Amino acid sequence: MSSLADMIALARAAMDKAHAPYSRFKVGACVRAASGKLYAGCNVENAAYPQGQCAEATAIGAMVTAGDREILEVVLMGGGPKLCTPCGGCRQKLVEFAKPGTPVHLCTRKGRKRTVTLGQLTPMFFGPKNLGK
Ligand code: THU
């Protein structure tokens, strides 16, 4: 089985491939799916700024494309000296496929790390229950 170190290595490799010429802020994400497979993604910016995509969205897209639907663990690595927390939109994207207790490891390239849960990041999230599902 893959380890957290494997996830961090994949997030770092994805971050190194980020297309971030506008913010110069590279981000890499890795999600571990229930199948045991790991999916990584980087942020992909665009000259039309709102068209840029976050690293988490890229990783989730790869996961869903491969047929997985359940996230058990997340690593998010930002290129800066501070821990990179997921933006609001990405918290919502993670909520779709993960649970409140899902660990989210926030990392820097230099080895800083803090683990929180998705529930801590997204109290009172909007989910299927709000839709009556
Ligand atoms: N970014 C991510 O990739 N994930 C986040 O959760 C926060 C922000 C990216 C978007 C943009 O390319 C850059 O970081 C600066 O905001």
Side-chain angles (χ1 to χ4, degrees), residues 23 25 27 43 45 54-56 85-87 90:
S23 72
F25 188 77
V27 184
N43 51 334
E45 296 184 351
C54 285
E56 299 93 315
T85 50
C87 77
C90 286

Side-chain angles (χ1 to χ4, degrees), residues 1-11 30 38:
M1 186 172 129
S2 53
S3 67
L4 177 56
D6 295 328
M7 293 184 70
I8 291 172
L10 284 173
C30 181
L38 303 180

